Amino acid sequence: MTSTIRLAQDPEADRLLTDNAFALLLGMQLDQQVPMEKAFTGPHELARRLCEAGRLDGVEALSAELVAGLPQDELIDLFRRRPALHRFPEAMAKRAHQLAVLLVEQYGGDVERFWSEPDTGEQLLTRLKQLPGFGDGKARIFLGLLGKQRGITPTGWREAAGPFGAEDTTISVADIVDEQSLIKVREHKKAMKQAAKVAG
């Protein structure tokens, strides 16, 4: 397990991802159609804006309960404020709200409980795939991230994560722990895109 998440490539944002389970899950949700660093910096920037709005006493207090309790229009405004938190701020704000509501209604807002309760990797994968915005691929990548970097290792987690659970790989955010691994993951994705172009 790595001690510090390095996905935002920003010390304060990475500290929040490391210490706050909801922030990490939200960052993964935001990680689509924007650069990885922007997605994983998003939770910290959202928390900062919530502090400015008097909704939060400190960025570290970002929680599913708080986001679920916000009027959706207010959350959309926070996402839209320049620079927007995402390429599609309104859609992603709604999805973030859905995520928070689901976590509160089904798990009491306890994200650690959400991913520590399942006894097997398949059970955890099933939970992840029920989250808004988590398709099969994203769910498997995040399962790999939890196992490799957060010590969440239910029975069969590597198998459930598929290629993203394999040891000694640099193919997804699950494998990024420093600048060197980030470069390798980017090279892998570039090669995959090139191969897809040739095949298409």
Side-chain angles (χ1 to χ4, degrees), residues 52-74:
E52 285 182 349
R55 290 285 195 174
L56 207 56
D57 291 332
V59 293
E60 67 283 349
L62 181 69
S63 68
E65 294 95 330
L66 176 71
V67 174
L70 287 174
Q72 200 173 87
D73 287 348
E74 182 177 346

Side-chain angles (χ1 to χ4, degrees), residues 73-134:
D73 287 348
E74 182 177 346
L75 189 60
I76 290 170
D77 285 343
L78 289 167
F79 265 70
R80 276 180 171 163
R81 188 182 304 166
R82 293 186 180 182
L85 292 185
H86 195 274
R87 183 180 173 192
F88 304 107
E90 182 173 346
M92 295 309 289
K94 288 178 179 177
R95 195 169 282 177
H97 193 260
Q98 290 168 354
L99 173 67
V101 169
L102 183 150
L103 291 167
V104 169
E105 290 181 349
Q106 296 189 24
Y107 305 99
D110 187 345
V111 182
E112 297 280 358
R113 177 188 150 201
F114 166 81
W115 60 50
S116 63
E117 281 182 347
D119 294 320
T120 69
E122 282 297 335
Q123 289 172 359
L124 180 50
L125 180 63
T126 297
R127 281 195 178 188
L128 287 166
K129 286 163 75 170
Q130 291 169 350
L131 299 176
F134 279 70

Side-chain angles (χ1 to χ4, degrees), residues 20-43:
N20 185 308
F22 176 64
L24 182 60
L25 194 58
L26 178 59
M28 190 68 193
Q29 186 190 51
L30 296 174
D31 187 24
Q32 62 175 70
Q33 297 183 291
V34 292
M36 178 201 77
E37 295 92 333
K38 182 170 182 63
F40 284 98
T41 303

Side-chain angles (χ1 to χ4, degrees), residues 125-170:
L125 180 63
T126 297
R127 281 195 178 188
L128 287 166
K129 286 163 75 170
Q130 291 169 350
L131 299 176
F134 279 70
D136 183 74
K138 179 170 289 202
R140 290 181 193 274
I141 290 170
F142 195 70
L143 179 53
L145 174 64
L146 290 175
K148 293 177 178 181
Q149 300 199 38
R150 295 292 86 196
I152 308 300
T153 55
T155 304
W157 71 272
R158 287 190 187 276
E159 291 78 7
F164 309 109
E167 291 187 74
D168 302 320
T169 58
T170 44

